Amino acid sequence: MSEACIPRKGKRLVGRTFRPSWMSGSLKGAIRKKQKAYREWKKGGISKETYLSEFRACREAVRKAKSRVELDLARGIKSNSKRFYSHINRKKTKKEEVGPLKNVDGVEINSNLGMAQYLNEYFASVFNKANEGFRNRGSRTEGNRGGGIDITVSEVEAKLDQLNGTKSGGPDDLHPRILKELAREIASPLATIFNESVNSGVVPLDWRIANVVPIFKKGKKSDPGNYRPVSLTSVVCKVLEKILKEKVVKGLEVNGNWDELQHGFTKGRSCQTNLISFFEKVTDLLDKGNAVDLIYLDFSKAFDTVPHEELLVKLDKMGIDRKIQRWIRNWLRGRLQRVVLKGELSDWREVTSGVPQGSVLGPILFNLFVTDLGTKCRSGLIKFADDTKLGGIANSEKDRDILQGDLDDLVNWSISNRMRFNSEKCKVMHLGMTNKNFSYKLGTHSLEVTEEEKDLGVLVDRRMTMSRQCDVAAKKANAILGCIRRGISSRDREVLLPLYKALVRPHLEYCVQFWSPMFKRDELKLERVQRRATRMIRGMENLSYERRLEELGLFSLTKRRLRGDMIALFKYIKGINTREGEELFQLSANVDTRTNGYKLAVGKFRLEIRRRFLTVRGVKFWNSLPRETVGAKDLSGFKIRLDKFMEGMV
């Protein structure tokens, strides 16, 4: 009887019955009125002018209705970009879909259920076998190092308030929007459940199952290996995971067990800090006339093959609270997954290894698992989750042997930890005019030489001029701008400007403090995208580019890159990245009352790639900043003062 009162959302009809989001009852009436006027005009019942009057009124009503919807999309683009892409995708004639897949015998699989079953079988095939010792230790409760866990109501309520209501729910059908809106009412009972779960070690089955969504990466769509399994897990469990993650991180900070080489999923670190830290050393070595070899390493199905028993042993060595350890053990134990594809569900499969992609604890558990990776390396090594880079001088056979020895140590680590390198994706890049192009082996496999490699989303080539990356960034940005032009009918500033800032400009500025263009032609290539975007706005067509920027309150991309350089330097010198900043920058010995108090030493350089690197190019402008700007107490205050200082710049 209670189910009769629950509203159910039916499947949206397609074809002729599809109703655009901007269509309303009054607008449908205006369209019928126009159609009626057209028929009467054809019969000679009314004049052409009368029909045209109805036509213009209907067209204006449609334009205003579309503008209202598009304005709403633009205003919410930062918090909910899904609505924009849904709006665009509805207009596409060709939809992005999974498959059809081909099995090992070359037989094509077309049905959604068949593809879901086959993908789930493939995803499960990469798992490491479960360790029986792990199964038998699942109920251990002794040794509660760290005392009891106390999760407060305010903690739970704060995490519920932070939920994104536009995200998908898990297999338990509890949507994050419901949890967010009922945060105050359910925080207390959830806190009780969370405390009981952690202190007893019991993890409900609903928290250990996942709906897996296959996300296409690249390559052939018929190959199941080209899909990433993203797990949709219980949102309630994710709330608890966030709380436990904070406690784990706090414990690691107290114990000093952080991985200094890890930049992935780490507070204050990012792809950009990874690239700057690594290539600071590389460009410095090249500038001094050395040959440098870079080795890019890639684990095969890294997140899916983490062996649970080895992970738990490492957590214990790092001093993680025993109750949290036990909860994580039982959270990993007996996991099940199924693939969801267009409403079709595969059978459940047991998950015997790995950390769930899409969970909150998964990334940090992976980071902790690979903490001891590369600790014996004599060459430069840096990590971003499972992406690992190794680099060093390659002037002589002795240098080559050091790099090869480090590679051998990494292979030994992978064997002892039951993780496999994907030898086909591990490559070496030779840099420097005098490079002798030494060969390296990963186990028994000879590494392939590459001329360019995508490094954390940035295309790096052996010349390091960054021209290829500029081409890629401009192409991506222009593609999104084209989607906006075709999918959005409004040309109002209030619609196009937020869409440009949120969707287009980030492609031109992703990690740009690392790959800032070296040549004028590349600067113009990027600037041309913003010129095109500003010209699309109504009323800006006949104005000069400089005037358009002034009217829209925008900086040129060149000025924004300079601003970004200064923000990065502030973080390194006075902000959250001061530890890396001590290695990247040196304070000048010539400091007097006329300087800003944080004057940096100007580095020497020989090559253009070194002169254009952040740690060299940014110093001159930083030293010219006023004392009150550099003396800001926090980043937000620095940005305000910096923008005020840069407003008058050409």
Side-chain angles (χ1 to χ4, degrees):
M1 183 68 181
S2 59
E3 291 186 0
C5 302
I6 300 175
R8 298 190 178 277
K9 182 179 178 181
K11 290 185 176 181
R12 187 175 60 191
L13 297 175
V14 295
R16 293 184 180 179
T17 56
F18 171 72
R19 181 177 178 178
S21 56
W22 45 265
M23 184 65 73
S24 64
S26 59
L27 192 57
K28 287 178 73 174
I31 293 173
R32 291 195 194 99
K33 192 174 180 181
K34 181 205 72 170
Q35 292 170 340
K36 182 180 178 181
Y38 176 77
R39 290 192 295 269
E40 290 182 357
W41 168 56
K42 282 295 185 181
K43 294 177 181 178
I46 60 173
S47 65
K48 184 177 181 180
E49 285 302 319
T50 304
Y51 161 67
L52 290 177
S53 176
E54 292 291 344
F55 171 78
R56 294 188 191 103
C58 181
R59 183 177 61 184
E60 183 64 16
V62 170
R63 188 191 68 78
K64 287 182 178 179
K66 287 183 178 180
S67 294
R68 282 193 295 271
V69 170
E70 291 167 355
L71 181 60
D72 189 43
L73 286 174
R75 285 174 174 169
I77 190 64
K78 286 190 175 181
S79 59
N80 186 7
S81 59
K82 274 185 178 180
R83 288 186 59 210
F84 170 79
Y85 286 110
S86 296
H87 178 81
I88 295 296
N89 290 335
R90 281 198 293 266
K91 300 189 177 188
K92 287 184 178 180
T93 54
K94 186 178 180 181
K95 306 294 182 182
E96 296 291 335
E97 295 182 347
V98 173
L101 302 173
K102 286 186 179 179
N103 62 19
V104 290
D105 299 322
V107 178
E108 194 172 271
I109 305 171
N110 290 304
S111 68
N112 292 327
L113 180 58
M115 288 192 289
Q117 295 280 23
Y118 188 61
L119 282 170
N120 203 27
E121 290 174 12
Y122 174 79
F123 293 152
S125 70
V126 305
F127 294 145
N128 277 316
K129 291 184 179 179
N131 191 312
E132 290 302 320
F134 166 72
R135 292 177 179 272
N136 297 333
R137 290 172 58 192
S139 60
R140 192 178 74 172
T141 58
E142 71 277 13
N144 294 327
R145 177 178 57 211
I149 301 297
D150 182 27
I151 298 172
T152 64
V153 175
S154 58
E155 278 184 291
V156 176
E157 186 174 346
K159 292 295 180 286
L160 291 172
D161 283 332
Q162 294 168 8
L163 289 175
N164 187 341
T166 66
K167 297 292 184 180
S168 300
D172 55 6
D173 291 329
L174 287 175
H175 198 278
R177 182 176 173 184
I178 296 174
L179 299 173
K180 182 182 177 73
E181 293 184 357
L182 297 176
R184 184 176 298 180
E185 289 75 13
I186 64 176
S188 179
L190 278 183
T192 302
I193 293 171
F194 291 165
N195 279 307
E196 181 65 26
S197 176
V198 176
N199 290 310
S200 68
V202 176
V203 183
L205 178 61
D206 278 355
W207 294 1
R208 291 181 283 122
I209 61 177
N211 288 335
V212 174
V213 178
I215 304 297
F216 179 68
K217 295 184 287 186
K218 60 180 180 179
K220 295 181 179 179
K221 286 194 172 184
S222 59
D223 184 357
N226 292 331
Y227 293 87
R228 177 180 288 109
V230 176
S231 299
L232 299 180
T233 57
S234 169
V235 181
V236 173
C237 185
K238 283 183 179 179
V239 174
L240 176 56
E241 288 178 58
K242 288 179 182 178
I243 296 171
L244 294 181
K245 176 187 173 183
E246 290 179 355
K247 295 184 183 299
V248 169
V249 170
K250 186 177 180 180
L252 291 171
E253 290 174 347
V254 171
N255 298 331
N257 286 328
W258 268 119
D259 185 358
E260 295 295 331
L261 302 176
Q262 181 64 258
H263 285 248
F265 310 111
T266 305
K267 184 179 179 181
R269 290 184 162 189
S270 62
C271 294
Q272 183 164 282
T273 61
N274 177 291
L275 293 167
I276 290 173
S277 294
F278 185 75
F279 283 95
E280 159 69 14
K281 299 171 185 175
V282 170
T283 56
D284 186 52
L285 289 173
L286 291 172
D287 194 65
K288 292 174 180 175
N290 296 292
V292 178
D293 283 345
L294 307 183
I295 298 174
Y296 288 93
L297 300 170
D298 183 79
F299 283 107
S300 178
K301 310 297 180 184
F303 279 74
D304 296 325
T305 55
V306 174
H308 293 158
E309 182 61 26
E310 285 85 340
L311 169 63
L312 291 164
V313 169
K314 292 185 180 184
L315 294 182
D316 191 53
K317 288 181 179 179
M318 290 178 185
I320 304 298
D321 184 281
R322 287 277 171 82
K323 285 191 174 181
I324 296 179
Q325 280 188 57
R326 182 180 60 182
W327 190 91
I328 291 173
R329 179 189 300 115
N330 292 331
W331 178 67
L332 293 172
R333 181 187 183 188
R335 295 193 69 88
L336 299 172
Q337 71 174 36
R338 63 183 177 186
V339 170
V340 180
L341 188 60
K342 289 189 175 180
E344 298 290 349
L345 304 173
S346 70
D347 296 331
W348 292 102
R349 295 295 297 265
E350 186 180 5
V351 180
T352 57
S353 70
V355 290
Q357 297 187 58
S359 65
V360 176
L361 278 176
I364 191 172
L365 291 178
F366 182 86
N367 280 358
L368 296 178
F369 182 75
V370 298
T371 296
D372 57 343
L373 172 68
T375 52
K376 298 179 181 178
C377 286
R378 291 176 288 173
S379 308
L381 182 138
I382 201 165
K383 294 174 275 188
F384 190 95
D386 60 322
D387 288 315
T388 306
K389 293 189 288 287
L390 187 68
I393 297 174
N395 294 330
S396 63
E397 289 282 351
K398 184 179 179 181
D399 298 328
R400 183 259 177 201
D401 291 341
I402 291 174
L403 269 171
Q404 183 60 59
D406 291 340
L407 265 178
D408 294 339
D409 286 339
L410 295 177
V411 170
N412 292 335
W413 182 95
S414 70
I415 293 171
S416 62
N417 286 273
R418 295 202 287 161
M419 298 278 286
R420 300 182 302 276
F421 282 112
N422 187 341
S423 55
E424 299 299 323
K425 292 185 178 180
C426 296
K427 298 179 182 179
V428 59
M429 184 185 295
H430 302 296
L431 306 180
M433 298 294 291
T434 60
N435 201 300
K436 298 178 182 179
N437 298 345
F438 294 121
S439 60
Y440 299 89
K441 284 193 173 183
L442 188 71
T444 58
H445 177 81
S446 295
L447 291 181
E448 179 186 342
V449 178
T450 181
E451 295 291 315
E452 62 180 27
E453 190 72 14
K454 184 164 279 190
D455 190 347
L456 301 180
V458 177
L459 200 61
V460 177
D461 61 64
R462 64 186 306 271
R463 294 178 60 206
M464 291 201 65
T465 60
M466 299 304 165
S467 291
R468 288 281 293 116
Q469 170 60 22
C470 291
D471 291 338
V472 171
K475 184 177 179 181
K476 285 183 179 177
N478 273 318
I480 299 296
L481 197 57
C483 284
I484 294 173
R485 191 183 191 100
R486 292 188 298 272
I488 300 295
S489 58
S490 174
R491 292 293 173 260
D492 293 338
R493 174 189 307 191
E494 294 78 9
V495 174
L496 292 185
L497 195 56
L499 293 178
Y500 166 72
K501 288 180 178 180
L503 303 176
V504 180
R505 195 167 63 185
H507 286 289
L508 303 172
E509 297 182 337
Y510 168 74
C511 290
V512 76
Q513 269 53 65
F514 162 65
W515 61 266
S516 183
M518 184 182 299
F519 304 122
K520 191 69 178 178
R521 66 172 182 268
D522 293 328
E523 288 187 17
L524 295 175
K525 193 180 299 174
L526 299 177
E527 204 74 51
R528 208 173 290 131
V529 180
Q530 183 161 277
R531 286 176 179 269
R532 178 188 172 200
T534 54
R535 199 181 295 116
M536 285 169 53
I537 298 173
R538 183 181 290 112
M540 300 289 159
E541 303 91 337
N542 300 319
L543 300 180
S544 66
Y545 179 52
E546 292 73 19
R547 183 66 188 281
R548 293 200 297 272
L549 294 181
E550 184 180 345
E551 289 287 328
L552 297 171
L554 297 174
F555 281 167
S556 68
L557 294 180
T558 302
K559 189 183 286 191
R560 280 186 59 83
R561 286 193 295 273
L562 181 58
R563 177 182 182 270
D565 288 350
M566 295 306 102
I567 292 172
L569 262 65
F570 183 87
K571 290 179 180 178
Y572 280 123
I573 297 164
K574 297 186 64 180
I576 56 178
N577 300 324
T578 52
R579 186 174 298 177
E580 292 95 334
E582 291 173 359
E583 299 177 2
L584 297 174
F585 301 96
Q586 288 184 343
L587 290 176
S588 174
N590 301 321
V591 178
D592 53 44
T593 56
R594 291 174 296 174
T595 66
N596 60 32
Y598 290 90
K599 189 175 181 180
L600 301 176
V602 180
K604 296 181 180 180
F605 57 87
R606 182 176 62 89
L607 300 177
E608 186 69 10
I609 59 172
R610 183 62 183 160
R611 185 182 77 84
R612 294 295 301 175
F613 201 75
L614 173 69
T615 54
V616 177
R617 73 169 187 266
V619 170
K620 183 177 179 180
F621 190 74
W622 172 269
N623 288 343
S624 71
L625 292 176
R627 179 182 290 268
E628 58 270 18
T629 301
V630 176
K633 294 182 180 180
D634 54 30
L635 183 59
S636 59
F638 176 76
K639 288 180 179 179
I640 293 170
R641 298 177 190 184
L642 179 64
D643 288 343
K644 187 175 181 180
F645 176 75
M646 295 183 68
E647 278 178 0
M649 292 177 53
V650 179

